[in-house]
Amino acid sequence: MNATPLRVAVVGAGPSGLYAVEALREALDGSPAEIDVLDGLPVPYGLLRHGVAPDHVKIKKLAEAFRPLWDGAGVRFIGNVHIGSTLPLDRLRASYHAVVLATGAQLGGTLGVPGEDLPGVHDSATFVGWYNGHPEARMAPGLLTRGPDAVVVGAGNVALDVARVLTRPVDDLEPTDAPRHVLDALRGSRITDVHLVMRRGPAAMRFTPMELRELGRLDDVAVRVRAVDLVLSEADRRTVEGDRRLAILYGVLQKWAAAPVEDARRRIHLRFRSTPLRFVGDAGVEALEIVRTPPGGTADPGAGTGERLPAGLVVTAIGHLSDDSLGLPIDARTRALRNSAGRVTDAGGSPVPGLYTVGWAKRGANGVVGTNRPCAEETVAHLVDDLRAGRLDTATVLRPVDGLLATVGSWVSTAGWRTIEEAELRRGRDEGRERAKIADRAEMLAIANG
C-alpha cells in the first residue's frame, strides 16, 4: 500500500455509504487512511432514519451497528453539506484521492397521467420523508382531513408502509421516534379507507410476506380483497406456483378474500389490475380514475371513463430514481448512475478515475438494508485494486479539506450530530419514549453549534 494516507470521501451517510466505510477499513487493514462521510442532512443514517417506517423499530436499530465507525480513528462525519449545489463535485474530488457516491435514489417515480400535479398528490419519497421527520419533506396543513378516502399506488413494501401508517392507531405510534407534529396530524386524520391500487395482478406483487401479513394484525383495521381480483391467467398461475414468496402472498390474499366481512374503524382495500388514468379535482385531488384489466390482459386508456376512487390524499409508491444534479450520466435501465460494478463511467462507458458508487445510486432502488453490504464490498474491492495498480492519483498534492469546508457555510461535525442525538433522546425521555425526532433543519443546526 502507498505510505501516503489515502483520503476518501463517501458522499451519503446511509447504510450503503457506511457499509462502504466498513469495507474500506477492513480492506486497508491498518494502512493509513482518512475517510470523510459527507451528507446533505445534519445527521447520518439516511433511509434508516428517514425511510424506514417509525413502527419498524427493529430495522431502525440497525443503525446501532454503525456506531463503532464514528469511534475509530480516521473516520469523521461532515453533515449539512450538499454535494452538487453547495459544493460542486469537481471541487470535492480535488481534496480526495477517491470519492464514493452513496447518494441513493432521491426522486420519486411518476405515473405520467393527467392531474398528477394537483395538490394532495405526493410521491412516496416526500410522504415517507414527512412521517419520518425529513427536514425537506413538508406536507400542507390539513392534508389528512380532506376526506375519508386515501389512495396509495404501488405493489411494494413502501406502499404497504404508507397504508399501514395511515390506518394504524396513533397510540401504537406514540412510543416510536415519529415527530410530534406527525403524531398530531395522524391523530386528527379523517381517513377511514385506504385504497391500495396496483396496476398488475397478484403475480407481480413485490411485497414481502412479513410486510403483507402485518396489515392483518392491525388493531381495528379490516383488509378487504375481492375474490375476482385473485383470478389468475394460466401464465400467472405458473409464476405464482413457481415462486415460494408469491405463493405465500397469494395464500394470504385468498384467506382475506374468503373471510367474512367485518366492520372495523378503518379499512384497507387491495385493488389489483387497476391502471390509473387521471387524477380528478379543482383546488386539490378529489378522485383517481382507474381502468380495470382482465387476467392476462392490458389496460386500454382510450377505452373511455373508468371507475372513480374518491381520494383526498394520493401517494404514489412506484419506485425511485437518481437525479442528474452531479452532472453524471444516468443509466436508462436501472435509473441509477452509469457504472461498471461500482466504478462510475462516463458517457462513453469508460471508468472515471477515482469515482465510485454504491447502493441505490449504483444498482437502482431495489433490495433491503442488508443488500448494501455485498454491494459496497464489490465497489471497495475495485477501489483498492485501482489503488494497488496505481490507477488512483496519489502523487498530486490534494487541496486541504478544512479549506474546502470553510467555503460551504455551517457544516456539522461528528460531535455536532451527537449533540443533536442527545437532544432527541432527552426529549424522548421527557415524553416517555426512547427518542423524539427533531425535524427542523434550523433547530438541528442551532443545537449542533450551540
Side-chain angles (χ1 to χ4, degrees):
M1 288 291 180
N2 199 304
T4 302
L6 178 69
R7 190 185 294 171
V8 179
V10 177
V11 181
S16 63
L18 297 181
Y19 278 130
V21 175
E22 278 189 348
L24 188 57
R25 293 185 68 182
E26 181 176 345
L28 293 175
D29 193 24
S31 298
E34 300 170 0
I35 305 173
D36 289 339
V37 185
L38 300 95
D39 201 280
L41 294 174
V43 291
Y45 301 134
L47 288 182
L48 282 177
R49 178 181 171 100
H50 294 117
V52 176
D55 56 345
H56 281 177
V57 178
K58 288 184 178 180
I59 299 177
K60 282 183 172 291
K61 284 189 176 294
L62 291 175
E64 297 296 320
F66 295 118
R67 294 193 70 84
L69 289 180
W70 311 114
D71 298 327
V75 178
R76 63 175 176 171
F77 176 71
I78 300 173
N80 201 50
V81 177
H82 295 269
I83 307 303
S85 54
T86 306
L87 180 58
L89 179 59
D90 287 346
R91 289 185 57 203
L92 178 73
R93 295 182 65 197
S95 292
Y96 295 90
H97 297 115
V99 172
V100 180
L101 299 173
T103 48
Q106 311 93 331
L107 304 178
T110 58
L111 291 167
V113 302
E116 198 166 5
D117 58 347
L118 280 170
V121 180
H122 300 277
D123 63 67
S124 60
T126 302
F127 193 77
V128 170
W130 169 73
Y131 66 60
N132 272 305
H134 193 293
E136 295 169 4
R138 298 294 179 180
M139 293 289 112
L143 184 69
L144 306 184
T145 62
R146 298 185 65 241
D149 292 274
V151 167
V152 181
V153 182
N157 284 342
V158 174
L160 293 183
D161 284 347
V162 173
R164 191 180 67 253
V165 169
L166 286 173
T167 54
R168 182 161 218 150
V170 182
D171 287 347
D172 290 354
L173 297 173
E174 279 287 352
T176 71
D177 66 355
R180 177 53 53 190
H181 71 274
V182 172
L183 294 172
D184 291 343
L186 290 171
R187 192 172 295 281
S189 172
R190 289 182 53 211
I191 294 172
T192 59
D193 290 81
V194 174
H195 305 270
L196 185 53
V197 172
M198 292 156 279
R199 290 174 285 186
R200 293 188 286 175
M205 291 183 290
R206 299 193 303 274
F207 313 132
T208 57
M210 181 182 71
E211 290 267 5
L212 184 64
R213 285 170 171 153
E214 198 170 355
L215 293 187
R217 301 189 185 108
L218 298 176
D219 185 40
D220 207 13
V221 177
V223 182
R224 303 279 172 82
V225 180
R226 299 183 295 189
V228 66
D229 281 358
L230 301 186
V231 176
L232 299 176
S233 67
E234 190 57 37
D236 283 349
R237 183 173 301 281
R238 289 194 297 270
T239 298
V240 170
E241 292 175 350
D243 186 305
R244 183 173 181 274
R245 177 187 62 86
L246 283 174
I248 293 172
L249 293 173
Y250 190 70
V252 173
L253 296 177
Q254 286 179 310
K255 289 181 180 178
W256 285 343
V261 176
E262 297 181 0
D263 193 23
R265 180 184 60 93
R266 286 176 174 163
R267 293 156 292 279
I268 299 174
H269 309 266
L270 274 61
R271 293 176 169 269
F272 293 95
R273 302 189 191 95
S274 300
T275 299
L277 293 181
R278 62 185 62 85
F279 296 99
V280 180
D282 294 321
V285 66
E286 298 172 7
L288 170 64
E289 195 170 289
I290 61 173
V291 62
R292 304 273 299 163
T293 58
T298 57
D300 180 10
T305 302
E307 179 184 358
R308 282 196 177 191
L309 299 178
L313 166 70
V314 175
V315 180
T316 58
I318 54 173
H320 296 75
L321 59 153
S322 297
D323 66 25
D324 57 0
S325 61
L326 297 179
L328 299 171
I330 302 296
D331 185 280
R333 181 181 61 84
T334 63
R335 300 194 293 184
L337 298 178
R338 189 173 297 174
N339 70 92
S340 175
R343 291 184 175 102
V344 173
T345 57
D346 60 23
S350 300
V352 180
L355 196 57
Y356 306 87
T357 185
V358 293
W360 282 5
K362 169 185 174 182
R363 65 181 191 274
N366 61 76
V368 295
V369 174
T371 310
N372 292 297
R373 184 191 291 273
C375 171
E377 290 172 348
E378 177 188 56
T379 296
V380 167
H382 290 312
L383 188 159
V384 174
D385 283 347
D386 290 344
L387 175 66
R388 289 173 170 157
R391 288 188 288 268
L392 294 184
D393 184 5
T394 56
T396 301
V397 177
L398 298 175
R399 296 179 181 177
V401 176
D402 290 344
L404 179 71
L405 294 177
T407 68
V408 300
S410 181
W411 60 278
V412 177
S413 66
T414 307
W417 80 254
R418 280 179 164 161
T419 304
I420 297 171
E421 182 177 58
E422 290 167 3
E424 292 182 336
L425 294 172
R426 187 166 56 251
R427 292 184 188 188
R429 289 192 295 269
D430 291 343
E431 297 181 14
R433 50 186 178 146
E434 183 175 344
R435 178 194 297 266
K437 193 180 291 178
I438 298 170
D440 183 78
R441 184 188 295 270
E443 185 178 3
M444 284 193 277
L445 294 179
I447 292 170
N449 296 325

